[in-house]
Amino acid sequence: MGEKILVTGGAGYIGSHCVLELIEAGYHPVVIDNFSNAVQGEGVVAESIRRIEKLLNTTIEFHQLDLLDRPGLENLFKKHTFAAVMHFAGLKAVGESVEQPLRYYKVNLTAAMNLIEVMQTNNVRNLVFSSSATVYGDPTRLPIDEQHPVGGCTNPYGKTKFFIEEIIKDQCKAEKDWNAVLLRYFNPIGAHSSGLIGEDPQGIPNNLLPYVAQVAVGRRQCLSVFGDDYDTVDGTGVRDYIHVVDLSKGHIAALKKLKENCGCKVYNLGTGKGYSVLQVVKGMEKASGKEIPYKIAPRRGGDVASCYADPKLAEEELGWKAEFDMERMCADLWRWQSMNPTGFTKSTTS
Ligand code: UFG
């Protein structure tokens, strides 16, 4: 049996794809999730996890557990010897975080603190943290490398990512046997090629690709394009979209890095290529064979014109680089969306 890896928020979009890759790479993931965003399947197992079990013909240890439940977390660490922890759990809606800052700070920071403290008392000193390019704020230069200044983000969600990074960095400085890899994601999209797992936002999607996919499948009528007067190729916002399976493979590479007693390391996970909103819409029209109606709407507060990674450091030090192009990302997203028009739940509720 492979090394045990605790995956927090493992039923969610990125977490579940990482669980799948962990198993394929020979690890033994133990998954926790509180179902604040993920869909519960039959029994107490998350639907995403149940589908991975089916796909890989295996069983996955899953616990419904909230990281704010300190005694529950301590119990879990008593039962298992984890080689490392991958921390995905957290609230992640940018707009909501502006409206409910206290909730975001309390949940995201307390969850991270509980986890790190319980790791510390149980001698688990290897951590992969799900961070975000949002820590860079409005870029002062492009492409963005890891040396770009951080902390400039304006919303509470992004600040929690920044604060947690700082906490982990300080802990690694204080205790030399700690190792952590902070992964700054650009814009993860797409889905596993099986079409069995994918992103399933609850309510109206905040992010571009889930929204576009729901328009293509007929669940929403028309995309609002937030601004067409940016200084970009066609005036719409440019982002570095990365296939979620590539991203997940980056986490496996990060786990291997921890083995080198690397201390605290920071890597961008992106492709290095930027696509505009309208280019993405075109890509999804091609993948789905559907027309995607859109209208130009005002800019969304807090959005930057362009954001894309310099992904060189991850290639040099992790031996990882993104493989899948935009066409493949759109094809895989469409497969997931068309096979699961209402996501993980069977009935249409939104
Ligand atoms: N957009 C639209 N219409 C929509 C949704 C998005 O035009 O309905 C545009 C945005 O204005 C932006 C682009 O599509 O130009 C991408 O927007 P997303 O909301 O998909 O992604 P963001 O780049 O705004 O945010 C993402 C993650 C955050 C993370 C950030 C890091 O959602 O969690 O990247 O840079 F913090």
Side-chain angles (χ1 to χ4, degrees):
M1 192 191 285
E3 285 184 332
K4 273 191 189 171
I5 311 294
L6 174 62
V7 186
T8 76
Y13 172 46
I14 299 170
S16 61
H17 283 82
C18 283
V19 167
L20 198 160
E21 292 304 321
L22 278 168
I23 296 170
E24 302 244 74
Y27 292 93
H28 178 98
V30 174
V31 179
I32 62 173
D33 203 288
N34 69 354
F35 294 127
S36 75
N37 213 13
V39 173
Q40 188 167 353
E42 275 162 43
V44 286
V45 175
E47 179 62 15
S48 54
I49 297 302
R50 204 187 58 80
R51 291 190 182 191
I52 298 170
E53 288 181 325
K54 239 175 140 176
L55 180 71
L56 301 183
N57 191 23
T58 187
T59 52
I60 299 170
E61 182 170 339
F62 177 86
H63 300 274
Q64 180 176 359
L65 182 64
D66 194 312
L67 287 172
L68 303 190
D69 172 5
R70 180 72 179 247
L73 191 60
E74 280 165 3
N75 264 336
L76 186 75
F77 273 76
K78 294 257 151 5
K79 273 204 274 178
H80 297 282
T81 305
F82 296 118
V85 175
M86 285 188 175
H87 180 42
F88 297 99
L91 299 174
K92 64 179 180 77
V94 174
E96 190 181 68
S97 80
V98 175
E99 288 155 19
Q100 305 172 18
L102 298 182
R103 180 168 162 242
Y104 269 68
Y105 287 124
K106 181 166 181 178
V107 170
N108 288 1
L109 298 181
T110 312
M113 285 302 305
N114 278 345
L115 180 66
I116 295 166
E117 284 180 348
V118 173
M119 286 174 69
Q120 173 74 2
T121 49
N122 288 278
N123 290 310
V124 181
R125 305 283 157 95
N126 293 314
L127 176 62
V128 178
F129 176 56
S130 163
S131 189
S132 167
T134 197
V135 300
Y136 295 120
D138 198 348
T140 56
R141 57 171 192 264
L142 288 166
I144 304 174
D145 59 39
E146 291 81 354
Q147 300 307 314
H148 185 287
V150 290
C153 53
T154 52
N155 62 79
Y157 155 75
K159 285 186 204 168
T160 65
K161 290 290 183 195
F162 170 65
F163 293 155
I164 295 168
E165 279 199 1
E166 295 296 300
I167 292 167
I168 296 170
K169 284 181 194 167
D170 286 340
Q171 179 60 11
C172 290
K173 261 186 226 154
E175 308 258 352
K176 297 297 176 205
D177 55 347
W178 266 76
N179 300 299
V181 177
L182 315 179
L183 297 175
R184 293 180 180 153
Y185 311 157
F186 282 69
N187 291 56
I189 64 167
H192 188 258
S193 59
S194 63
L196 290 178
I197 57 169
E199 189 169 13
D200 181 21
Q202 306 302 299
I204 301 168
N206 296 310
N207 298 112
L208 179 62
L209 268 298
Y211 202 104
V212 169
Q214 290 192 8
V215 173
V217 85
R219 251 174 97 177
R220 316 232 166 243
Q221 277 182 340
C222 179
L223 169 74
S224 294
V225 175
F226 299 142
D228 68 347
D229 56 353
Y230 287 107
D231 183 16
T232 62
V233 54
D234 56 20
T236 64
V238 165
R239 297 290 183 275
D240 183 338
Y241 297 95
I242 173 169
H243 197 298
V244 66
V245 172
D246 273 333
L247 189 86
S248 303
K249 290 182 174 151
H251 289 68
I252 306 297
L255 272 184
K256 297 198 173 120
K257 188 77 190 171
L258 292 173
K259 285 267 171 199
E260 298 170 14
N261 286 324
C262 61
C264 190
K265 296 281 183 184
V266 180
Y267 300 106
N268 286 338
L269 294 185
T271 66
K273 289 190 195 72
Y275 285 86
S276 75
V277 174
L278 294 180
Q279 288 169 338
V280 169
V281 168
K282 279 228 165 63
M284 279 301 289
E285 283 186 329
K286 195 169 164 228
S288 65
K290 314 263 183 201
E291 192 200 338
I292 296 168
Y294 68 84
K295 59 173 192 284
I296 305 300
R299 289 183 179 193
R300 183 172 65 178
D303 274 355
V304 303
S306 295
C307 175
Y308 50 92
D310 179 343
K312 263 202 313 286
L313 193 65
E315 183 170 1
E316 284 164 12
E317 294 191 9
L318 297 179
W320 167 92
K321 86 180 205 304
E323 307 279 350
F324 297 133
D325 62 9
M326 180 54 74
E327 198 175 333
R328 173 70 185 265
M329 297 187 224
C330 290
D332 285 342
L333 171 57
W334 179 242
R335 186 175 306 107
W336 152 254
Q337 187 69 75
S338 53
M339 282 170 64
N340 306 271
T342 55
F344 285 114
T345 38
K346 287 186 192 93
S347 60
T348 317
T349 49
S350 55

